[in-house]
């Protein structure tokens, strides 16, 4: 009886693993669906010799999800450690960890030069934020900012 069940199990796995399925569709929630309808944008101003250049765009994708994107010509110094992207109410990075600083919204680290996307957390409103700040935490200095207009 055990041999019959084992044979059935092996045959079942063989049938399931040899199906004619096409490549799986991978949905990446950090990338906009369809095109990004830009609402506000700004050009990066370099700070502290980090070589920050390019454009930041704040917009909505075809499913209504809000994203911050960096243009394909975006560049900043990435070899110094983690460069974190923040939306801010000013061009100056002012941390206030004790109060959770309502004037900053952390979006995540820059992963590469060129095009980058940052999903805006669900429930967050970006209307009060006027700037994008590139903050290098390892040396405690801003690498650039872009005023969103």
């Amino acid at each position: 009886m055990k041999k019959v069940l084992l044979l059935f199990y092996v045959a079942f796995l063989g049938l399931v693993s040899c199906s004619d399925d096409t490549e799986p569709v991978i949905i990446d929630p950090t990338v906009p669906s369809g095109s990004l309808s830009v609402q506000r944008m700004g050009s990066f101003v370099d700070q502290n010799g980090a070589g920050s250049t390019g454009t930041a765009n704040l917009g909505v994708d075809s499913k209504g999800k809000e994203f911050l994107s960096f243009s394909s010509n975006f560049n900043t110094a990435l070899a110094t450690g983690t460069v974190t992207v923040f939306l801010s109410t000013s061009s100056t990075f002012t941390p206030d960890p004790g109060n959770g600083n309502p004037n900053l919204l952390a979006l995540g680290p820059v992963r590469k030069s060129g095009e980058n996307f940052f999903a805006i957390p669900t429930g967050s409103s970006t209307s009060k934020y006027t700037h994008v700040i590139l903050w290098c935490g390892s040396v405690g200095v801003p690498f650039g900012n872009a005023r969103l207009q």
Side-chain angles (χ1 to χ4, degrees):
M1 181 68 174
K2 288 183 182 180
K3 288 182 181 180
V4 171
L5 285 175
L6 182 60
L7 183 61
F8 175 75
Y9 181 71
V10 170
F12 176 75
L13 286 179
L15 290 172
V16 171
S17 65
C18 295
S19 65
D20 290 337
D21 289 342
T22 59
E23 289 293 314
V25 175
I26 298 172
I27 299 172
D28 185 351
T30 63
V31 177
S33 294
S35 63
L36 192 66
S37 174
V38 176
Q39 310 294 313
R40 295 187 287 157
M41 64 185 293
S43 295
F44 279 104
V45 174
D46 183 44
Q47 291 178 277
N48 295 303
S52 299
T53 59
T55 305
N57 301 294
L58 190 60
V60 179
D61 72 1
S62 61
K63 292 188 177 181
K65 176 83 175 141
E66 199 168 18
F67 285 87
L68 177 70
S69 70
F70 292 171
S71 60
S72 60
N73 66 341
F74 168 76
N75 194 30
T76 194
L78 294 172
T80 59
T82 302
V83 177
T84 306
V85 177
F86 289 88
L87 288 180
S88 176
T89 57
S90 75
S91 63
T92 305
F93 182 82
T94 309
D96 187 4
N99 296 314
N101 196 345
N103 297 320
L104 290 173
L105 178 62
L107 298 181
V110 176
R111 298 191 190 330
K112 60 184 180 173
S113 293
E115 190 174 58
N116 283 265
F117 293 99
F118 304 90
I120 305 300
T122 303
S124 297
S125 171
T126 59
S127 61
K128 72 177 181 177
Y129 300 111
T130 57
H131 290 78
V132 176
I133 295 179
L134 302 173
W135 180 257
C136 182
S138 62
V139 293
V141 298
F143 273 13
N145 72 75
R147 183 170 183 231
L148 297 170
Q149 299 182 38

